[in-house]
Amino acid sequence: MGTRRTPLPGVGTQYDFTTEDGRHLSVVVHHDGRRFLGFYRPDDPDTCEATVPLTPQDATALARLIDPAPADGIRTDGLDLVTGHIPVTRRSPYGGRLLGDTGARSRTGASVVAVLRRTSAHPAPGPDFRLAIGDTLVVVGTREGVDALTAIIGGE
């Protein structure tokens, strides 16, 4: 089992992973946030059999499936806080609207601490920050608050 990181000038970074049984996988992370997952032949670890493009939201969802409880939990004075990543999808009623329109903090108690956009990050966005389809909200709050905000942003 092992990993290797290779810079790809002008493109991004390739991360290669070899499983305990010798299978070779790779993830190419482009500078613009796109990712490609590559699967290599077991009998020839240099021959890529298939690639799967992943949006940032796809990559986050896959990471959650692989590790459903990453180091998100923060313990502060007896209060359990978690962080979450909430994608703004086409189904969201908030694409193109102001962050303040969500009423996030007053409705759920959760705080949006950053917005990740395809090519940039926006820390501590104010209520006048305009959300876009494809953004990912980085939020902090109780599990219930983060779950409630996920439902609100998702249009549920």
Side-chain angles (χ1 to χ4, degrees):
M1 189 168 79
T3 60
R4 183 180 65 200
R5 178 181 184 271
T6 306
L8 303 173
V11 175
T13 304
Q14 180 170 334
Y15 299 90
D16 292 289
F17 175 77
T18 304
T19 65
E20 285 185 24
D21 70 349
R23 292 297 307 253
H24 176 195
L25 307 168
S26 71
V27 177
V28 176
V29 180
H30 289 248
H31 294 304
D32 65 4
R34 291 178 300 138
R35 289 158 171 75
F36 290 85
L37 184 59
F39 299 92
Y40 293 80
R41 292 178 52 127
D43 60 334
D44 183 1
D46 293 325
T47 301
C48 188
E49 289 185 301
T51 61
V52 177
L54 300 171
T55 65
Q57 293 80 12
D58 293 336
T60 299
L62 181 59
R64 285 186 181 154
L65 289 173
I66 292 170
D67 184 5
D72 283 347
I74 302 168
R75 186 100 178 144
T76 307
D77 298 324
L79 178 65
D80 286 318
L81 297 177
V82 297
T83 60
H85 290 81
I86 304 172
V88 180
T89 66
R90 287 186 182 91
R91 292 185 3 225
S92 174
Y94 294 101
R97 293 179 57 192
L98 299 178
L99 179 59
D101 292 344
T102 67
R105 194 171 308 134
S106 61
R107 292 172 69 186
T108 69
S111 297
V112 178
V113 297
V115 176
L116 306 177
R117 196 158 274 167
R118 189 175 180 124
T119 58
S120 58
H122 302 274
D128 59 341
F129 184 88
R130 189 165 301 279
L131 299 173
I133 301 298
D135 285 352
T136 298
L137 308 182
V138 179
V139 300
V140 175
T142 63
R143 168 55 49 209
E144 295 79 15
V146 171
D147 289 347
L149 185 52
T150 299
I152 290 167
I153 298 300
E156 298 173 14

